[in-house]
Every structure is written in structure tokens, then in C-alpha cells.
Amino acid sequence: MGRKVIVATCCLNQWAMDFQGNLDRIIDSIQQAKAAGATYRSGPELEIPGYSCADHYYESDTLLHSWEVVAELLRHPSCTDIIIDVGLPVMHKNVTYNCRLVFLNRKILLIRPKLILCDDGNYRETRWFTAWHKSRQVEDYYLPRMISRQTGQITVPFGEALIATRDTCIGYEICEELWNPESSHIPMSLDGAEIIVNGSGSYTEIRKGYVSRDLIMSATARSGGCYLFANQRGCDGDRVYFSGDSMIGLNGAIVARATPYSLIEVEVITATIDLESIRCYRSLIRSRCLRASQSHTYPRVQVNFALSNDEDIFLPSCAPIEYTIPLPEEEILYGPACWLWDYLRRSGQGGFLLPLSGGVDSSATATIVFSMCQLVVQAVANGEEKVLEDVRRIVSQADYVPRDRRELCGRIFHTVYMATENSSLETKARAKLLSQQIGSYHIPVTIDSMVSAALGIFSAATGFIPKFRVRGGTTRENVALQNVQARLRMVLAYLFAQLMLWVRGKQGGLLVLGSANVDEALRGYMTKYDCSSADINPIGGFSKADLKRFLHLAKDRLNLPVLNDILGAPPTAELEPLDEGILVQIDEADMGMTYDELSMYGKLRKIECCGPFSMFGKLVHLWSDKCTPKEVAEKVKLFFRYYSINRHKMTVLTPAYHAETYSPDDHRFDHRQFLYNYRWLWQFRAIDKSVEKLENGRNNESEVERSSSARSNKDSRSSSFTRPSSRSSNNSLSGSLGSESHRRGVEVATGPVIENSHNVHICPAENTVDTSHMITPQHSDQIVNDQVRLTLNSGDCGEDRKRRGPASASLSASGLCLQKARRCGDLQSASHQQHETSLYL
């Protein structure tokens, strides 16, 4: 009597619409599974066409070619004496379903459609597929004639059923069904399914690595049994990276797991399962036995085949394994590196080019490329022939063998430091030192002549010569002069990307890498079409705080000591001249908010689905120890003004590695409009009313306390009782580290600008660095937006003039006041006061 079976699941680095390549990888996985003695093999979701085909699923060609791949598998000699399930789209009665197809020895046993589809995050499955709602029912599916000629079958079962072999019973889930509260593995297990198979397409998000493991452990702990989880690996043509965390669970433990963040295209993992251990585990849970005895029956497909054999006593059973979930900084070190490798080798290009400024963001991008080179060298050393083949094609050298990560980096990675008169020697030195430590092909250039030429054309056409603010220019001139530097850098970056390999006597071109983080994208702290506009962006899904932690890890893990200097450098865009030797631009001061605050805003906006009023309602309690309700209200208003004004930039955001759950990318993940009424009149009025109620409530409490004190202390009537404040007066705001002088442009503040006592001209900004000190009574020039110009009467301001009264505080025009104000209220209040002064008429 057989009792032990060897089952196999796999990670496949499939490529959407690459039917030939996908077929080759599927056959490779089947051959590896059979070589390991497995009698069952499972693969990822939609592995035949690739998961990210999107609207290609509408095309009949996609369904046709998927069936052609099935026909190739059925007649392949390796696909015998092993039960195989593969994923593909199938149209049944004019409805397309996401399916698993199970076959054995040139016979199709079952086509199992997906019961629960996923529309979360980047998933849009109901756009192309329909869920199967006929619970525990099967219908006849008429096979295509090319398949019938292979199998001799006219129809096969289509629906929700179990496979019953001579020694066990097998049930199926597809991806989202494991995550759903009503997972089908429970009723299938109660009806006797001992092995549950799940083909999945779960992509990576930072801090998400434990989820699938915990779900599989929970599923098998509650109901017993073996769970085969197969997941896609790599970049199959879109912004997401599939983690490849295939694993096998047994009775509440993980017994086999694929290698995380690997460049291996086909990885098969196997486990020897003792079926008797499943039966004993279940029989000991008496409450489960009671429910199982009352379970509703599933249709069964009877198969005259056994997964085990009579000589299995010599097979050692699998044992539970322990493994550690990667830290977030480790996920940044390896995930984007693998994604970049897939993109590079499949794009047909000869390497990367990065505008390297010596700041945190561009340095993080460069470090990820260096990590990719290390992974490639390790894979080649481990005998990965496919990786070696790809490297040789990329560098155009048939006998090349990469043995040193710095040497490989020098062949495929190019960095350019693009300086202007506003750039410092410190950032130039840091960029050069980093390039030396990672081995990139580095070129420092000066672009002042390009800037002068562009301004010369403008001056010749208009007769006007713009000047920086510190040299007597207006805010509009200051913004334009910063933006022209940023945009010319993008033009130069693409020129270098097209010609650098030509200069070095090599074939092909280079992919331009962007380096804007998710927080800056959320607030719009970037110039539209500057160096953040690139081919791909490996750090676009990570927060500034996570990138700093990543650089701390990479400093030691990759032996890059220069990263310590980069992390300790003052953050500045270096797009304005120094003011008497003092930096005019500091990132957090320019933005009017800290990176930690931006992360909080992003999570509340996207994950908690908060509008302005709901966000205020949460933050007024979360920040009660450091901010008054009025300060919280002004912070929330300021964020939503900038968010709404700059939302249009998300329509041209560089495709980025998706990693963060609050990503503002509107192409796949964050579907919101890009034209807003940035004054949010109704929402902000609701916030103001709440602030007024909160302050009145506190005043009433204070009055009660004072009157109580007066009654109990009649002899001290002349003294006044002051309620102690719960806010800390020394709550410093952590500054971001590193310079991004070659990427960012400028962006103006969102507030209206007072030009006279009668009219207010409001022009939402198109570009990045908003310095709050720009918008003051001393600098009241109208700010021009490339897209929208709104001219409003003073009565149209989104503030309650009668309730709030006129502004009386005088504000300093110098940016130095922002550097001095470091309390919670102070850094923000400096910008808020100036902002409010602009609004109060």
C-alpha cells in the first residue's frame, strides 16, 4: 500500500505573450520535476501566455496560441506518467475564464476555472475574465479540434471538481481564492481533498513577504493536508515584480520553499509527503471530523493512476523548515535588482545610464544597479547558463565571463554628473567617489552653455532677461530658471544614452534610469519632464525613509563607504545660487512638510482611503502630542493643495518598480483624476468647523479648571491658572539626506498671490520645489502654470474672511526662517503663516 508521494511546484520567469519562451520554461520545469521523482507538477497562474497580458486577453489570438501550447505539451515525451496542471485563459460558452488545465498521459482530466477574481492594487482581472459561480458543478467543454486529435476526447469536465487518484484526492485553488475569507480549500479538505494545488500570480510589495507563507500555514494547520503553492517570478513586462515565493506546506508547517530574489528562470522544488500523516493529523481534530462527516460532496474525476508506489518505504519524509522573511531594506537591495535584470536582458539594450547627483535617491538607484551586477556574477559562478548567455549578448562579447561585479558594472552602467554654476564641489566629489566604488563608467559634464543658449533664445525673442530671486528676480523668473536646468538635463541624458556605447565602440543603446522616490511623486516635488522622466525607475515605489535604511545596509553589505557621506550630506536641489554662502534650497523646507509626514499622508490617502476631512480626523489624534488641531488642519490643507495641483504629473510618471501600497502611480495602481479644484472649499470648511469645535471645547475645559481653582484658592485670585501644554517644544523634524541636484526642478507654492487689494491671481504650479518663502507680501508676483491660470476675485478665496479676520502677522521673506523653525508647529507654521497671509484679504 503506497503512502508517500513526491510532489513538485515551481517558479517560472515567464514573459507576457512570449509563447515559445513560456513553453520552453514549462517543459524544463516538467523535466526537472520528473528527474526529482515527482508524480505531480504544478505551475504559476496563466503560465502559458504570461500573467500580465492585460487587454491581449481580449484577443482571440491569445486563446488560440495558448491552446497550441497545450497541444505541444500533450505530445511532448516528457509529459508522461506525471499529472500536470498549467494555467491559461479558456473561453466557455462565449465567456473567458482564468483556468487551470489538468492532464495526464495525453488526456485532459479537468479544466478548473477561477472562482474568485482579484481587482485589488494592480490587479484588474474582472476586466478580462469572469468568475465561475456554479459551485461544485461541472459542465461539458468541447475541446478544439487540434486538441481532440491529440487526446481522442470530444468533451472534458469544466468546472469545480476534485481529481481522485487511486491513492489520494486533489483539489484546486487559483491565487486570490487563498486570500479570500471564503477560501475553497476548507470545504474541499472537509470532503477529503488531501492535496490542494494553487497556481498564483502574486506580485511583490514591500513588507508583504510573510503573507502567503502565513496563509498557507494557516490553511494546512486548520484543515490538515498538503498545499502546493506555485508563483510567477520576475518582471514579465510590467511595473510589478513577481516574488517567486513558491512553497509547499504540510499540516501547519512549510516543508519546501523556492530561493527568494533569484535570477534562475526555472526553479522546481519538491517534497515527499506521507499521506498517512495527513490522515492522522485530521483524525485527531475531532471537531473537524464532525464537520467533515456533514460536508457536501464535490464532483470527482476518477483517474486510474497513483501518485505513490509500493516501494515508497525507503523515501524519507520531508521535515518542516525555518526561514526568515527579508527586511524591507533587503527587499530594496534585491527585488529591484532582479527586476532591472529582467528588463535589461529583454529590452535588447546594452546597459543603463543614470544622471548621478550624489544625493540619496540617485545614489540608491546606482547602488541597486551594483547589486544587480553582484547577483549576475553570483548566478554565473553557480553555473546558470541562461544568465551567462544573456550577459554575453548584452555586452556583445561571445566569450565573456563576468567574474567581478565592478568590472561588469563598468561595462553596462554609465553615470553622468551634470553640473551648473549652482552645483557644489561636494556633490561632484561624492558622485565621482560612488562611481569609483561601484565601477561605473563615469563622466562629469557642465551644462551652463546649454542653459545660456536656451535663455539666449528666450531673450532674443522677448527682450527680457530672467534673474534668480537672490539676484533681484521675481518668483516666476526664479522658477523658470530652475526648471530649464532640470529639463535640459533630461535632454542631455537621452543624448548620452543613445551615443555612449557608440563612443566606446560597442553596439546598442542605453536605458535611462530615473531616481524619484514615492514620497516626492505623491507631493509632486519634481519638474515635469526633467531627469525623473526616464525609461524606468527602480526606486519609484519606495519612500525616502526606506531608501535611507537601504543605503545603510548596502554600505556594509556591498562595501560602499561613500554612502555614509551621502547619507550625512545636507539635502539640496542645487538649482539656485547660494545666498551669501548659505543654501537657499532645503528639501523639507521647500516642500513645507517632512518625508515622514509625506509617508503618513500617503498611507492615509491611499490605504485608509482618507479625504481631507477624514485625514484631519485621524491626524488630530495621532499628532496630538506635538501639534494643535489648528496646526494639524493647516498641514492637511497644505498637503492636499500640493497633491491636487501636481496630480497631473502622475500621468507622465516614469514606469517604476511597484513596491509601496500608497504609490500614486495613476497608470495601473492609483486611479484618480488629475484636474482638481485645489481649494477644496467644502472639505476645508468642514475641517475648519471641527477645529473651531475642538478649540472651543478646550477653552471651555480651561475655563472650568480656572473657575474651580479660583473657588478652592480664594487667596490667590490675582494669579492666573495656565493649563500645561502636551506638545513638546523640541520636536525636531528629521531632514532628508543627500542631494538630488541633477533631478529636481522647482515647484511653486499653492497659495494665491496678492498683487493688490482687489484681485487675487491663483496659478497652480506645474513644477517642483515649492519654497514657502517665495509667496510673501514682499514677493507677490503672479506665478505662471504651464497648463492652468485661474483669476479669482477676493470674494472667491476658499477662506472664511469674516470668521478668521485679516492677517496681521508680518512674515520674513528669507528662507532662513524655515531653517530656524524646527518645532512641529514652527517649520510648518512658517510656511503656513505665509500661506495664510496670502489668502487673508
Side-chain angles (χ1 to χ4, degrees):
M1 172 180 166
R3 53 183 290 172
K4 294 179 182 177
V5 300
I6 300 177
V7 292
T9 186
C10 61
C11 297
L12 301 183
N13 195 324
Q14 303 294 73
W15 191 4
M17 303 301 291
D18 178 24
F19 290 96
Q20 183 61 57
N22 294 346
L23 170 62
D24 294 341
R25 285 180 283 271
I26 292 171
I27 292 175
D28 188 0
S29 70
I30 295 170
Q31 291 171 339
Q32 290 188 38
K34 289 190 68 176
T39 51
Y40 192 99
R41 176 269 181 200
S42 182
E45 185 175 13
L46 294 167
E47 60 189 300
I48 288 179
Y51 185 85
S52 300
C53 293
D55 283 1
H56 283 294
Y57 289 124
Y58 288 134
E59 301 169 4
S60 60
D61 282 7
T62 304
L63 278 70
L64 169 65
H65 299 325
S66 296
W67 278 113
E68 289 173 343
V69 170
V70 171
E72 290 290 331
L73 290 171
L74 287 170
R75 61 173 163 259
H76 197 279
S78 297
C79 300
T80 56
D81 299 325
I82 180 172
I83 298 180
I84 300 166
D85 73 84
V86 292
L88 74 162
V90 177
M91 181 175 285
H92 175 56
K93 296 182 178 178
N94 302 326
V95 178
T96 303
Y97 297 93
N98 177 351
C99 298
R100 304 301 299 177
L101 185 146
V102 190
F103 67 95
L104 168 68
N105 294 335
R106 298 190 179 184
K107 297 290 183 181
I108 295 176
L109 307 178
L110 173 69
I111 300 177
R112 201 279 197 178
K114 194 171 183 178
L115 310 181
I116 302 171
L117 302 181
C118 186
D119 286 326
D120 304 335
N122 288 284
Y123 295 109
R124 299 287 179 274
E125 289 183 354
T126 58
R127 179 177 175 91
W128 312 293
F129 303 115
T130 302
W132 178 260
H133 288 297
K134 298 177 181 179
S135 178
R136 309 189 195 201
Q137 297 181 44
V138 293
E139 298 177 350
D140 287 336
Y141 177 81
Y142 283 83
L143 291 171
R145 288 190 294 272
M146 61 177 165
I147 303 298
S148 293
R149 285 192 289 269
Q150 294 283 331
T151 66
Q153 300 167 291
I154 303 299
T155 63
V156 295
F158 184 100
E160 187 183 14
L162 306 179
I163 299 290
T165 66
R166 296 179 63 183
D167 53 357
T168 189
C169 186
I170 306 166
Y172 294 89
E173 288 188 322
I174 304 177
C175 198
E176 181 68 12
E177 295 170 26
L178 172 63
W179 274 259
N180 192 267
E182 292 189 90
S183 296
S184 52
H185 62 259
I186 297 295
M188 286 190 294
S189 298
L190 291 175
D191 196 38
E194 296 175 333
I195 300 173
I196 306 295
V197 182
N198 187 320
S200 184
S202 177
Y203 61 76
T204 297
E205 279 182 350
I206 193 168
R207 300 178 178 88
K208 180 187 171 185
Y210 68 93
V211 176
S212 56
R213 178 201 64 181
D214 289 358
L215 286 171
I216 292 169
M217 292 173 65
S218 173
T220 57
R222 286 182 297 161
S223 59
C226 173
Y227 202 104
L228 268 65
F229 182 79
N231 197 16
Q232 166 99 346
R233 167 181 283 164
C235 168
D236 73 340
D238 209 341
R239 292 162 171 78
V240 298
Y241 174 76
F242 294 96
S243 55
D245 54 344
S246 299
M247 63 190 77
I248 301 174
L250 177 66
N251 296 341
I254 302 299
V255 295
R257 179 193 181 223
T259 307
Y261 300 114
S262 171
L263 302 186
I264 304 173
E265 276 201 334
V266 178
E267 183 178 8
V268 176
I269 58 172
T270 61
T272 302
I273 305 298
D274 190 337
L275 298 177
E276 289 300 314
S277 68
I278 296 174
R279 294 157 190 165
C280 291
Y281 184 93
R282 289 179 172 179
S283 67
L284 291 174
I285 307 175
R286 304 312 300 162
S287 61
R288 181 211 166 272
C289 293
L290 176 62
R291 302 300 299 172
S293 67
Q294 302 168 349
S295 66
H296 297 288
T297 302
Y298 278 82
R300 276 170 163 75
V301 177
Q302 303 293 334
V303 181
N304 187 19
F305 181 79
L307 300 184
S308 60
N309 60 65
D310 294 334
E311 305 300 325
D312 61 7
I313 190 172
F314 300 105
L315 291 175
S317 298
C318 58
I321 61 172
E322 296 289 339
Y323 64 91
T324 303
I325 299 298
L327 297 172
E329 45 268 40
E330 291 177 316
E331 294 181 289
I332 303 175
L333 181 63
Y334 299 118
C338 295
W339 184 76
L340 281 180
W341 173 246
D342 282 344
Y343 201 100
L344 174 62
R345 67 194 182 92
R346 289 172 170 171
S347 67
Q349 299 301 301
F352 298 114
L353 181 133
L354 171 69
L356 179 63
S357 71
V360 165
D361 291 343
S362 62
S363 298
T365 300
T367 304
I368 289 171
V369 175
F370 188 52
S371 174
M372 182 202 78
C373 293
Q374 177 174 271
L375 291 175
V376 169
V377 171
Q378 289 176 346
V380 171
N382 292 335
E384 293 299 324
E385 291 296 328
K386 185 64 174 68
V387 176
L388 179 60
E389 176 188 332
D390 288 331
V391 172
R392 288 173 171 174
R393 189 183 68 257
I394 291 169
V395 302
S396 301
Q397 184 175 335
D399 59 349
Y400 175 66
V401 178
R403 293 187 174 90
D404 180 79
R405 57 187 181 178
R406 292 185 70 257
E407 189 272 337
L408 175 61
C409 194
R411 287 174 175 262
I412 65 175
F413 189 35
H414 303 71
T415 52
V416 183
Y417 180 86
M418 293 182 278
T420 67
E421 61 179 350
N422 304 317
S423 303
S424 67
L425 295 176
E426 291 78 9
T427 56
K428 181 179 181 179
R430 287 194 297 269
K432 181 179 180 180
L433 187 55
L434 177 60
S435 69
Q436 290 174 346
Q437 292 184 5
I438 65 176
S440 68
Y441 189 92
H442 185 68
I443 300 178
V445 297
T446 301
I447 66 169
D448 286 327
S449 58
M450 291 180 65
V451 177
S452 298
L455 295 177
I457 295 173
F458 174 82
S459 299
T462 64
F464 286 83
I465 301 176
K467 294 182 290 186
F468 284 104
R469 185 181 61 252
V470 297
R471 296 173 180 169
T474 64
T475 298
R476 284 179 290 172
E477 295 171 71
N478 198 63
V479 169
L481 287 173
Q482 294 183 66
N483 286 333
V484 70
Q485 298 171 66
R487 291 193 173 111
L488 287 175
R489 284 178 175 134
M490 181 210 46
V491 174
L492 192 62
Y494 275 96
L495 178 64
F496 273 80
Q498 289 177 314
L499 295 178
M500 279 310 302
L501 291 181
W502 170 70
V503 170
R504 301 182 68 184
K506 300 181 178 181
Q507 299 295 320
L510 302 173
L511 292 166
V512 178
L513 297 181
S515 55
N517 62 65
V518 71
D519 294 331
E520 292 166 352
L522 176 66
R523 190 202 169 282
Y525 188 63
M526 62 182 69
T527 298
K528 204 172 185 179
Y529 305 115
D530 76 339
C531 274
S532 62
S533 301
D535 292 316
I536 50 175
N537 181 4
I539 69 165
F542 299 104
S543 70
K544 192 82 164 188
D546 285 332
L547 289 174
K548 292 177 186 177
R549 286 190 286 268
F550 153 67
L551 290 180
H552 277 293
L553 174 73
K555 174 173 62 71
D556 299 324
R557 192 75 62 89
L558 299 178
N559 191 24
L560 300 175
V562 67
L563 295 180
N564 197 52
D565 297 333
I566 291 170
L567 286 166
T572 172
E574 290 192 335
L575 291 171
E576 292 187 64
L578 301 180
D579 185 5
E580 297 181 355
I582 299 176
L583 290 174
V584 175
Q585 292 178 305
I586 301 297
D587 285 349
E588 291 183 331
D590 287 349
M591 293 191 298
M593 57 195 73
T594 68
Y595 284 105
D596 288 340
E597 289 173 342
L598 265 173
S599 293
M600 179 63 73
Y601 297 144
K603 291 169 184 174
L604 291 176
R605 180 197 68 94
K606 177 66 177 173
I607 303 172
E608 299 290 333
C609 301
C610 288
F613 182 70
S614 297
M615 186 178 292
F616 167 76
K618 291 181 181 292
L619 291 178
V620 76
H621 299 292
L622 290 173
W623 291 348
S624 61
D625 61 329
K626 57 182 181 179
C627 298
T628 65
K630 185 175 182 180
E631 289 169 344
V632 174
E634 292 305 321
K635 287 173 179 287
V636 171
K637 290 180 186 179
L638 188 68
F639 164 71
F640 273 98
R641 287 187 181 113
Y642 284 127
Y643 164 77
S644 53
I645 281 176
N646 294 305
R647 177 66 186 172
H648 65 93
K649 297 177 184 178
M650 300 306 98
T651 63
V652 295
L653 200 65
T654 297
Y657 176 94
H658 175 81
E660 187 56 77
T661 51
Y662 65 88
S663 169
D665 181 6
D666 84 326
H667 294 280
R668 296 287 190 277
F669 189 71
D670 185 25
H671 292 194
R672 287 171 170 82
Q673 73 270 30
F674 61 88
L675 181 60
Y676 283 86
N677 181 343
Y678 82 101
R679 292 177 296 164
W680 301 83
L681 299 177
W682 192 281
Q683 296 91 329
F684 287 1
R685 188 160 55 242
I687 293 175
D688 291 337
K689 290 178 182 178
S690 297
V691 170
E692 190 173 1
K693 288 180 181 179
L694 288 170
E695 290 184 342
N696 287 341
R698 291 190 176 187
N699 290 337
N700 290 338
E701 286 183 25
S702 182
E703 288 295 332
V704 171
E705 291 178 4
R706 284 198 294 269
S707 62
S708 175
S709 176
R711 286 194 300 271
S712 61
N713 301 284
K714 295 182 180 180
D715 294 335
S716 57
R717 292 179 181 177
S718 60
S719 64
S720 61
F721 178 83
T722 303
R723 188 182 183 188
S725 172
S726 63
R727 299 188 307 279
S728 169
S729 60
N730 295 313
N731 182 35
S732 299
L733 298 174
S734 60
S736 68
L737 304 176
S739 163
E740 290 303 312
S741 59
H742 291 167
R743 176 171 56 75
R744 298 195 191 101
V746 296
E747 174 182 353
V748 295
T750 61
V753 181
I754 300 177
E755 293 195 345
N756 52 55
S757 60
H758 302 289
N759 293 319
V760 177
H761 297 278
I762 302 179
C763 300
E766 182 253 342
N767 299 315
T768 53
V769 178
D770 140 60
T771 51
S772 300
H773 55 277
M774 291 179 181
I775 312 303
T776 64
Q778 291 88 342
H779 298 87
S780 57
D781 301 83
Q782 182 185 12
I783 298 170
V784 178
N785 185 332
D786 289 352
Q787 294 183 342
V788 183
R789 181 190 301 271
L790 302 177
T791 303
L792 305 176
N793 293 326
S794 58
D796 289 333
C797 287
E799 307 290 338
D800 189 340
R801 176 182 174 187
K802 293 183 180 180
R803 176 168 58 78
R804 307 188 75 142
S808 58
S810 81
L811 302 173
S812 168
S814 173
L816 297 177
C817 66
L818 294 174
Q819 300 179 28
K820 297 176 182 178
R822 301 305 291 174
R823 289 189 296 116
C824 167
D826 288 345
L827 177 58
Q828 286 295 350
S829 64
S831 60
H832 292 328
Q833 287 173 352
Q834 296 169 47
H835 187 72
E836 292 170 4
T837 303
S838 301
L839 288 173
Y840 300 163
L841 305 180

Short mmCIF file of all heavy atoms in Angstrom, two decimals, residues 126 196 206 228 249 256 274 305 407 425 440 471 529 563 594 817:
data_model
loop_
_atom_site.label_atom_id
_atom_site.label_comp_id
_atom_site.label_asym_id
_atom_site.label_seq_id
_atom_site.Cartn_x
_atom_site.Cartn_y
_atom_site.Cartn_z
N THR A 126 -11.26 41.21 -13.41
CA THR A 126 -12.64 41.22 -13.91
C THR A 126 -12.77 42.03 -15.20
O THR A 126 -13.82 41.99 -15.83
CB THR A 126 -13.61 41.79 -12.85
OG1 THR A 126 -13.19 43.11 -12.49
CG2 THR A 126 -13.63 40.91 -11.61
N ILE A 196 -3.94 20.24 -1.91
CA ILE A 196 -4.53 21.44 -2.53
C ILE A 196 -3.44 22.10 -3.37
O ILE A 196 -2.33 22.34 -2.89
CB ILE A 196 -5.06 22.42 -1.47
CG1 ILE A 196 -6.04 21.72 -0.52
CG2 ILE A 196 -5.72 23.62 -2.15
CD1 ILE A 196 -7.30 21.22 -1.17
N ILE A 206 6.58 45.81 -0.66
CA ILE A 206 7.47 45.85 0.49
C ILE A 206 6.69 45.52 1.76
O ILE A 206 5.56 45.95 1.94
CB ILE A 206 8.15 47.25 0.57
CG1 ILE A 206 9.31 47.22 1.56
CG2 ILE A 206 7.16 48.34 0.89
CD1 ILE A 206 10.19 48.46 1.49
N LEU A 228 0.31 22.93 -2.28
CA LEU A 228 1.31 23.27 -3.28
C LEU A 228 1.02 24.67 -3.81
O LEU A 228 -0.03 24.91 -4.41
CB LEU A 228 1.27 22.28 -4.46
CG LEU A 228 2.18 21.05 -4.38
CD1 LEU A 228 1.75 20.16 -3.21
CD2 LEU A 228 2.14 20.28 -5.69
N GLY A 249 3.41 23.48 1.79
CA GLY A 249 3.03 23.42 3.19
C GLY A 249 2.45 22.06 3.54
O GLY A 249 1.84 21.39 2.70
N ALA A 256 9.05 23.07 2.10
CA ALA A 256 9.94 23.36 0.97
C ALA A 256 9.62 24.78 0.49
O ALA A 256 8.48 25.22 0.53
CB ALA A 256 9.73 22.36 -0.18
N ASP A 274 3.99 12.22 3.25
CA ASP A 274 3.41 10.99 3.78
C ASP A 274 1.91 11.21 3.94
O ASP A 274 1.45 11.97 4.80
CB ASP A 274 4.04 10.66 5.13
CG ASP A 274 3.65 9.26 5.61
OD1 ASP A 274 2.60 8.74 5.17
OD2 ASP A 274 4.39 8.69 6.43
N PHE A 305 -4.71 6.13 -11.77
CA PHE A 305 -3.29 6.47 -11.65
C PHE A 305 -3.00 6.71 -10.17
O PHE A 305 -3.84 7.25 -9.44
CB PHE A 305 -2.97 7.73 -12.46
CG PHE A 305 -1.53 8.15 -12.43
CD1 PHE A 305 -0.59 7.51 -13.22
CD2 PHE A 305 -1.10 9.19 -11.60
CE1 PHE A 305 0.75 7.90 -13.19
CE2 PHE A 305 0.22 9.58 -11.57
CZ PHE A 305 1.15 8.94 -12.37
N GLU A 407 33.84 45.16 -12.44
CA GLU A 407 34.20 45.10 -13.86
C GLU A 407 32.95 45.00 -14.74
O GLU A 407 32.85 45.67 -15.77
CB GLU A 407 35.11 43.89 -14.08
CG GLU A 407 35.74 43.81 -15.47
CD GLU A 407 34.85 43.08 -16.46
OE1 GLU A 407 34.01 42.28 -16.02
OE2 GLU A 407 35.01 43.31 -17.67
N LEU A 425 31.08 71.66 -5.18
CA LEU A 425 32.17 70.71 -5.34
C LEU A 425 31.94 69.45 -4.54
O LEU A 425 32.41 68.36 -4.91
CB LEU A 425 33.49 71.37 -4.91
CG LEU A 425 33.96 72.57 -5.75
CD1 LEU A 425 35.22 73.18 -5.15
CD2 LEU A 425 34.20 72.15 -7.20
N SER A 440 31.29 52.15 -12.16
CA SER A 440 30.54 52.61 -13.33
C SER A 440 31.41 53.47 -14.24
O SER A 440 32.40 54.07 -13.80
CB SER A 440 29.31 53.41 -12.88
OG SER A 440 29.69 54.63 -12.28
N ARG A 471 19.15 87.37 -6.90
CA ARG A 471 19.79 88.43 -7.68
C ARG A 471 18.80 89.49 -8.11
O ARG A 471 19.03 90.22 -9.07
CB ARG A 471 20.49 87.83 -8.90
CG ARG A 471 21.65 86.89 -8.51
CD ARG A 471 22.23 86.16 -9.70
NE ARG A 471 23.33 85.30 -9.30
CZ ARG A 471 23.89 84.39 -10.09
NH1 ARG A 471 23.45 84.25 -11.34
NH2 ARG A 471 24.88 83.64 -9.65
N TYR A 529 8.98 66.34 -16.84
CA TYR A 529 9.94 66.13 -17.94
C TYR A 529 11.34 66.62 -17.58
O TYR A 529 12.03 67.18 -18.40
CB TYR A 529 9.46 66.83 -19.22
CG TYR A 529 8.09 66.42 -19.66
CD1 TYR A 529 7.04 67.35 -19.68
CD2 TYR A 529 7.82 65.12 -20.04
CE1 TYR A 529 5.77 66.96 -20.07
CE2 TYR A 529 6.55 64.73 -20.44
CZ TYR A 529 5.53 65.67 -20.44
OH TYR A 529 4.28 65.30 -20.83
N LEU A 563 28.66 55.83 0.87
CA LEU A 563 27.24 56.01 1.18
C LEU A 563 27.05 56.69 2.53
O LEU A 563 26.04 57.36 2.76
CB LEU A 563 26.52 54.66 1.15
CG LEU A 563 26.45 53.97 -0.21
CD1 LEU A 563 25.70 52.65 -0.10
CD2 LEU A 563 25.79 54.87 -1.24
N THR A 594 7.73 67.25 6.07
CA THR A 594 8.83 66.31 6.15
C THR A 594 8.50 65.03 5.38
O THR A 594 7.34 64.76 5.05
CB THR A 594 9.11 65.94 7.61
OG1 THR A 594 8.02 65.18 8.12
CG2 THR A 594 9.30 67.18 8.47
N CYS A 817 14.34 81.65 7.83
CA CYS A 817 13.38 81.47 8.93
C CYS A 817 12.92 80.01 8.98
O CYS A 817 12.61 79.50 10.05
CB CYS A 817 12.19 82.40 8.77
SG CYS A 817 11.18 82.04 7.33
#
